[in-house]
Amino acid sequence: MDIYTNNYVIVAIFLILGVLLPVATVSIVGPLLRPKKPTAEKQTTYESGNIPVGDSWVRFNVKYYIFALMFVIFDVETLFLYPWAVAYKELGLFALVEMAIFITLLVVGLIYAWRKKVLEWN
Amino acid sequence: MSELLQQAPSLGNTLWFILAAVVLLVILLGFVTYAIYFERKVIGWMQLRIGPNRVGPLGLLQTVADVTKLLIKEDTRPKNADRALFTLAPILAYAPAFGVLAVMPFTESIQFADLGIGLLYYIALSGITVLGVITAGWASNNKYSLIGGLRSAAQMISYEVPLVMSVVGVVLLTGSMNLREIVEAQRDLWNIIPQFLGFAVFIIAAQAELNRTPFDLPEAESELVSGYHVEYSGFRFAMFMLAEYVYMFGMATLITVLFLGGWLPIIPALDFIPGIVWFVLKFSAYVFLQFWLRATMPRMRADTLMSFAWKVLLPVALVNILLTAVIVSYQQGMF
């Protein structure tokens, strides 16, 4: 139990340090060292030296959503694969057959996406 | 460290943990400084140039000078940017890159947290970096940033799937996600040999996760200026660069632990050389490979990038899982 608590104390320390370093350098040490003379020109959005045209918060290619969906499906699949892999040696042949069926089902999904040409980028 | 882990949690021990983490952070900053220096130097040599040689002896202080310049540079923020998200993005990119190091075993004795789910922790946390990138791209309200950020996000999530799947083979062989146990299980044979397919997929997908050549499209300077961090300047920009190299440190450590036998010697007879030396050797070999690839490989085309992950790497990773499972059952005498 002690080792468990200690482990997560360390994890918490790492995460806090990870947040602290950027915050400390950018917001606490930085302002003491760097100049701050904002002008309107400096604060315009960069667009190769031209005056920016329109807004950039626009609708973008739907392809990105499809890849995000594919990612969710296969990443969740991987989450199921991990516990199976850890316990595999104890579970025996039944686990192998089950997982083969599970992977086959997902491969069918992948083939479907492949045939529907959503994996192409054009 | 391992004795402290066994003791009951107390304030004194927590202070030791904090001290150890700060020491690692300092080592890490040293690594980043000289990784950048050697990257420029090695690529210079490969292209028959000299590389940085002006600041300090042999140019050794070049990166120090660069970082100091970034620190004293004005921090401009575009008026149209989303203030809160613009500030948050560098933190989101950096914090997980450092957080993953909490579970890394460097040698038998040098280790921080000894989590049973070490590998899963790494995978879960490293996924957050994508959020930092896409937040930066969106919050800047800049067209280059948006395209770079979205491209980067699409690339990173597409390659994350084969990346995490290629590791399942290693978990199958070991029967554990604890990184220390994974290293110990490689005493007879490093995983790179039985898991060669997994290793090949992992190393390719890792390049894409790190946004490095030949998968450096998000930063394609010839078309997108510099991708998702066009609008970032000064130390906020430095945080993105730092995150990139810290993530490289994490990935090099992970590859060493998962496939190259961690701190174990190449043959048992060489056991008298301390584990940390072996670790550093393997680690440096991977880091050198990064520089080598950057000097030799051209950038991939955007339209082939996605299909490569889904049509080549993912099926290979799945085949690797099934093959490994069958071989493990055979060894266990299940057939």
Side-chain angles (χ1 to χ4, degrees), chain A residues 6 46 48 53 57 88-89, chain B residues 5 138 143-144 173 231 329:
Chain A
N6 277 326
Y46 173 76
S48 308
V53 180
W57 290 331
Y88 183 68
K89 284 180 183 168
Chain B
L5 269 179
W138 178 261
K143 289 163 190 98
Y144 296 120
L173 283 183
E231 289 295 353
S329 334

Side-chain angles (χ1 to χ4, degrees), chain B:
Chain B
M1 278 309 275
S2 37
E3 298 106 68
L4 283 181
L5 269 179
Q6 303 294 341
Q7 288 167 17
S10 68
L11 194 65
N13 282 357
T14 309
L15 287 178
W16 277 115
F17 292 146
I18 293 174
L19 189 70
V22 170
V23 169
L24 181 72
L25 182 63
V26 171
I27 293 174
L28 197 64
L29 293 178
F31 163 80
V32 173
T33 310
Y34 286 98
I36 295 174
Y37 168 76
F38 275 107
E39 178 162 18
R40 297 176 62 180
K41 211 64 179 167
V42 167
I43 294 175
W45 288 328
M46 285 182 178
Q47 296 169 343
L48 303 181
R49 296 182 284 116
I50 298 171
N53 69 339
R54 292 288 153 181
V55 191
L58 301 170
L60 279 168
L61 297 177
Q62 181 66 51
T63 322
V64 180
D66 289 345
V67 173
T68 317
K69 177 230 166 194
L70 283 175
L71 195 60
I72 57 178
K73 202 179 165 199
E74 185 177 354
D75 176 42
T76 53
R77 182 184 357 221
K79 217 182 179 99
N80 292 333
D82 186 314
R83 236 186 118 81
L85 289 180
F86 192 85
T87 320
L88 184 68
I91 303 173
L92 266 182
Y94 173 75
F98 182 66
V100 293
L101 297 176
V103 291
M104 289 301 175
F106 297 101
T107 69
E108 266 165 289
S109 47
I110 307 173
Q111 179 177 23
F112 295 89
D114 191 20
L115 295 188
I117 52 154
L119 188 55
L120 195 62
Y121 170 82
Y122 182 96
I123 290 163
L125 215 59
S126 66
I128 302 176
T129 310
V130 185
L131 282 181
V133 169
I134 201 167
T135 311
W138 178 261
S140 302
N141 199 354
N142 176 312
K143 289 163 190 98
Y144 296 120
S145 303
L146 183 71
I147 299 172
L150 284 174
R151 260 197 203 178
S152 185
Q155 170 186 327
M156 282 167 102
I157 60 173
S158 291
Y159 281 83
E160 194 163 313
V161 175
L163 184 88
V164 293
M165 282 206 179
S166 60
V167 182
V168 174
V170 173
V171 181
L172 269 170
L173 283 183
T174 317
S176 168
M177 282 193 282
N178 182 309
L179 293 170
R180 172 193 295 269
E181 280 170 33
I182 288 177
V183 174
E184 286 300 333
Q186 296 177 61
R187 221 163 246 292
D188 301 322
L189 189 63
W190 294 356
N191 278 337
I192 182 171
I193 298 167
Q195 280 300 309
F196 185 74
L197 269 182
F199 177 73
V201 173
F202 190 92
I203 210 158
I204 296 170
Q207 288 304 105
E209 281 290 293
L210 296 172
N211 285 339
R212 289 189 66 90
T213 331
F215 302 106
D216 57 345
L217 281 96
E219 288 171 43
E221 60 272 19
S222 44
E223 37 178 324
L224 289 180
V225 193
S226 78
Y228 59 88
H229 45 52
V230 181
E231 289 295 353
Y232 283 87
S233 60
F235 224 67
R236 281 185 221 276
F237 168 74
M239 275 302 143
F240 280 112
M241 291 316 273
L242 186 62
E244 209 163 281
Y245 280 87
V246 170
Y247 202 22
M248 184 162 110
F249 183 97
M251 202 56 99
T253 315
L254 192 70
I255 281 198
T256 310
V257 165
L258 290 179
F259 293 101
L260 303 178
W263 58 86
L264 300 174
I266 201 157
I267 47 170
L270 290 172
D271 216 7
F272 61 89
I273 299 173
I276 188 76
V277 175
W278 287 112
F279 185 88
V280 170
L281 277 177
K282 294 166 188 177
F283 178 93
S284 316
Y286 177 72
V287 173
F288 178 74
L289 179 74
Q290 299 272 348
F291 304 161
W292 190 4
L293 283 175
R294 178 151 176 209
T296 40
M297 300 282 280
R299 186 178 298 138
M300 244 181 133
R301 253 169 45 206
D303 57 333
T304 50
L305 179 80
M306 292 297 159
S307 43
F308 182 66
W310 294 101
K311 291 184 182 174
V312 181
L313 290 182
L314 180 63
V316 172
L318 286 171
V319 165
N320 178 54
I321 292 173
L322 283 176
L323 265 182
T324 314
V326 170
I327 290 169
V328 168
S329 334
Y330 184 73
Q331 280 171 344
Q332 300 277 93
M334 288 180 204
F335 296 139

